Amino acid sequence: MREEYQPFEIGNTWRILPPDCRPPLDHRTNLIMDRGAFGSGEHETTRSCLKLLENLKIDQAQVLDLGSGTGILSIAALKQGAAHATCVDIEPSAVDACRRNCRRNNIADATVHHICGTLDKVSGSQFDLILANIYGDILIDVASNLCHAARPGSTLLLSGILWEYNFDVRNRYEQHGCTVLKNRLLDEFSSVLLQKTD
Amino acid sequence: MSTPQVSVLLPVRNDATHLPAAIASIQRQTLTDWELIVVDDGSTDGTTQWLQSAAEADRRLSIITQPALGLVPALNSGLKACNAPLVARMDSDDIAHPRRLFTQLNAFKEQPELTLCASAVRHFPRPHIQGGMLAYEKWQNRLIGHCDIQRNLFVESPFVHPSVMFKKQAVQTAGGYRKMPWAEDYDLWIRLAVSGSIFYRCPETLLYWRDRPERLTRTAENCTLDAFRACKVHFLSQSYLCNCQQVTLWGAGQEGKLWARALRDAGINVNRWIEVDPKKIGQRIHGAPVCEPDDLNTHPAKTLITVGARGARQQIRDWADQHRLIEGEHYLCVT
């Protein structure tokens, strides 16, 4: 049985709420999420991603969400105007949770491509927005492939980076043609917003 | 120029790969009133050039360039150049938490009697860390107060060197760093303890400790188990075992026998072994009888606990408590 939780707000845009909870009618965008092991918004890295996301212009964007977990970041991006999301997670149960949450948020099936596996299963270099809320050492390992998947001018939002990896992550992505736009240092983790410049 | 609140002392030799991240972590400290003394110990890999440009960009950096003299001379020349009364050690491949200097400085303000304040540490990259290093990390991170640190001083080195902040005056009075056949930091901790220093550890993780194959802790001759044992025997023979020619060892395993040999070289013989293994009880090892723990009740004598098995140290401490044996008086844990 899933544990219930109280609705909560993040930034100026988002409200996270459990299924069957009636939201107030206001300007906020509701993200209806099961509470699960893969992040329904409480964790500081997810909060940080959502705060950074709300200021991005992503109309009609093609999104790649690596380590998508519950899908909260992709769902938020789609509700903010993105056209399509490719959600990748190595955990089958996370992929199930993501699929379930997409339905709860009335995201059309055709709008999301769910992949159970690693970045190797993603082809092309067409993504306008890359979301990766995963550990810093993995971000360093996949830097080359992740940057390859990003089209020039695209945005990369990397999070889940423990303090000790922050410098190395930024350094590695700069070596792959990215420019750091924002570096948010949280209590234990950090988030980095980058733009692929070439 | 006014005296900074903290001097950060960072020796380096040929580490251009990691040094920028280490220094960046100092530059983004919430406490900004610091100076960074970098001792460049004969680098040939571009470290020197990188440091020169970093020092031009940030006047808080001072670079001491010397030929490759080694870590101890580098530490001592850097320590001498530190202008602040408090010195924070840092290594070229580690990362400091942004609140590290503030938190440790605050500990000294709240507890002016402190001599040295360490912090909890966390190894990285995490996936490659072996069980022994994780156990050490967990063990030393739990030693918070002075008494706990003091009573575990001979178990292992209770502080990770780049995690400490200390009073410069106290370290200089203790003789600074010494080149010995064992680790220079452990040597210093014990000398500070002998001189009556007060220790503390901030429970927050303020240093991220990079593990890599070429790390000194793994490769240096003065960081082997034999070197640590020799260091412990050296200081025990001047303190707990001062004027003792005989000692009881609890643990007749391989480690115990290595201890017996090291003690014998220092002129201290094992006159009794304590064991819980019924196969060993009643035998004689190196001429000394093997007895069961209860023998300590009837014939108490200075005893070193050399049992290294996980969990055994605490079991022995619990047993000793029940039998009113006092740690530091009747027995001492040394592994």
Side-chain angles (χ1 to χ4, degrees):
Chain A
M1 201 175 95
R2 287 184 200 101
E3 190 189 342
E4 254 338 314
Y5 63 94
Q6 292 298 309
F8 58 96
E9 296 173 355
I10 295 176
N12 297 315
T13 305
W14 314 108
R15 178 186 297 110
I16 318 293
L17 67 165
D20 305 324
C21 178
R22 184 174 294 179
L25 291 171
D26 60 12
H27 70 283
R28 284 191 176 268
T29 302
N30 295 306
L31 303 174
I32 303 162
M33 307 300 297
D34 280 334
R35 167 164 277 184
F38 305 101
S40 47
E42 308 93 326
H43 199 275
E44 66 170 5
T45 61
T46 310
R47 283 176 173 273
S48 176
C49 285
L50 288 170
K51 283 182 185 172
L52 287 166
L53 194 58
E54 70 182 3
N55 293 316
L56 297 180
K57 296 196 188 322
I58 54 171
D59 280 351
Q60 297 306 309
Q62 296 289 317
V63 179
L64 171 61
D65 186 354
L66 183 63
S68 47
T70 54
I72 187 169
L73 298 181
S74 283
I75 293 167
L78 290 166
K79 288 197 172 187
Q80 194 162 306
H84 185 272
T86 300
C87 295
V88 184
D89 204 296
I90 202 164
E91 283 286 337
S93 54
V95 176
D96 290 344
C98 181
R99 195 171 271 129
R100 196 167 51 241
N101 282 323
C102 285
R103 285 196 207 108
R104 291 195 190 286
N105 285 275
N106 296 319
I107 305 288
D109 286 352
T111 312
V112 184
H113 179 205
H114 297 277
I115 296 176
C116 185
T118 59
L119 191 55
D120 305 342
K121 290 195 174 180
V122 177
S123 57
S125 306
Q126 74 281 22
F127 294 102
D128 306 294
L129 172 64
I130 291 183
L131 305 166
N133 187 14
I134 51 179
Y135 285 115
D137 48 346
I138 301 174
L139 285 170
I140 291 169
D141 286 347
V142 300
S144 173
N145 290 343
L146 208 53
C147 290
H148 178 71
R151 70 161 180 78
S154 62
T155 303
L156 293 88
L157 174 47
L158 312 180
S159 197
I161 308 163
L162 283 164
W163 261 99
E164 54 265 43
Y165 295 99
N166 179 275
F167 186 94
D168 290 345
V169 168
R170 283 187 287 133
N171 206 25
R172 182 64 61 91
Y173 281 79
E174 283 173 339
Q175 287 168 4
H176 285 284
C178 296
T179 303
V180 175
L181 302 176
K182 280 186 184 167
N183 186 30
R184 293 193 75 200
L185 304 170
L186 315 169
D187 282 347
E188 195 177 3
F189 291 84
S190 59
S191 306
V192 184
L193 186 68
L194 304 110
Q195 185 168 45
K196 189 177 176 190
T197 46
D198 55 27
Chain B
M1 205 168 95
S2 63
T3 305
Q5 289 185 283
V6 178
S7 296
V8 180
L9 171 55
L10 191 160
V12 60
R13 183 192 291 174
N14 292 338
D15 200 10
T17 308
H18 304 109
L19 184 66
I23 290 187
S25 77
I26 297 300
Q27 289 173 316
R28 62 180 178 223
Q29 290 292 305
T30 55
L31 179 94
T32 55
D33 186 20
W34 48 261
E35 65 171 0
L36 173 58
I37 308 291
V38 183
V39 185
D40 182 4
D41 185 43
S43 292
T44 54
D45 71 336
T47 294
T48 309
Q49 293 74 14
W50 188 90
L51 279 170
Q52 280 167 354
S53 58
E56 283 166 19
D58 190 338
R59 292 171 60 84
R60 295 173 298 180
L61 272 67
S62 297
I63 315 299
I64 298 172
T65 305
Q66 65 178 39
L69 298 174
L71 181 57
V72 167
L75 286 167
N76 281 330
S77 58
L79 184 63
K80 195 175 166 190
C82 288
N83 291 300
L86 291 172
V87 175
R89 273 282 288 112
M90 182 71 189
D91 276 346
S92 62
D93 53 353
D94 297 330
I95 305 286
H97 188 280
R99 287 193 292 273
R100 177 193 165 181
L101 297 183
F102 171 82
T103 307
Q104 290 183 303
L105 177 65
N106 214 35
F108 277 97
K109 285 180 179 170
E110 288 178 356
Q111 304 173 69
E113 71 278 14
L114 290 183
T115 309
L116 181 149
C117 172
S119 78
V121 303
R122 184 166 71 211
H123 279 93
F124 79 104
R126 209 71 183 166
H128 310 295
I129 307 299
Q130 301 293 311
M133 291 308 280
L134 288 176
Y136 173 67
E137 176 189 294
K138 194 174 171 183
W139 171 80
Q140 68 106 41
N141 282 351
R142 281 182 179 167
L143 306 176
I144 303 296
H146 176 74
C147 293
D148 241 5
I149 293 168
Q150 184 87 358
R151 82 172 183 148
N152 284 285
L153 191 64
F154 286 97
V155 173
E156 288 242 32
S157 177
F159 309 123
V160 170
H161 199 177
S163 77
V164 303
M165 181 183 281
F166 52 67
K167 285 178 177 162
K168 176 183 172 179
Q169 181 66 49
V171 170
Q172 287 194 313
T173 303
Y177 291 95
R178 300 191 307 179
K179 186 158 177 52
M180 301 296 279
W182 43 79
E184 75 293 332
D185 53 350
Y186 194 34
D187 180 76
L188 176 61
W189 314 148
I190 300 180
R191 279 185 288 124
L192 285 173
V194 168
S195 67
S197 296
I198 306 293
F199 300 134
Y200 173 67
R201 180 188 322 277
C202 296
E204 300 95 332
T205 302
L206 300 176
L207 184 92
Y208 306 111
W209 200 23
R210 193 188 297 269
D211 187 52
R212 52 193 177 116
E214 63 273 31
R215 180 167 142 192
L216 273 181
T217 311
R218 293 192 180 286
T219 58
E221 282 181 11
N222 66 350
C223 292
T224 61
L225 289 174
D226 285 344
F228 268 82
R229 200 179 302 110
C231 178
K232 293 172 187 177
V233 169
H234 172 82
F235 284 105
L236 284 169
S237 62
Q238 297 172 14
S239 53
Y240 180 67
L241 297 179
C242 185
N243 298 324
C244 284
Q245 291 175 331
Q246 295 187 324
V247 68
T248 299
L249 288 193
W250 184 320
Q254 192 180 0
E255 182 64 20
K257 286 167 188 162
L258 290 169
W259 265 90
R261 190 184 305 161
L263 287 161
R264 189 188 58 213
D265 292 346
I268 302 167
N269 291 311
V270 175
N271 66 343
R272 175 177 51 172
W273 302 86
I274 300 296
E275 256 297 337
V276 291
D277 182 353
K279 290 180 197 158
K280 291 182 182 170
I281 294 168
Q283 292 185 9
R284 295 185 79 83
I285 296 177
H286 300 325
V290 182
C291 305
E292 56 188 352
D294 280 343
D295 203 56
L296 280 177
N297 287 327
T298 47
H299 302 95
K302 288 200 170 180
T303 302
L304 299 181
I305 313 298
T306 64
V307 183
R310 199 158 291 176
R313 192 188 316 124
Q314 191 54 48
Q315 283 180 7
I316 292 171
R317 280 175 166 157
D318 292 344
W319 181 90
D321 276 352
Q322 287 165 15
H323 293 81
R324 300 189 178 183
L325 297 175
I326 299 167
E327 190 163 5
E329 187 180 324
H330 298 109
Y331 73 99
L332 200 63
C333 294
V334 295
T335 56

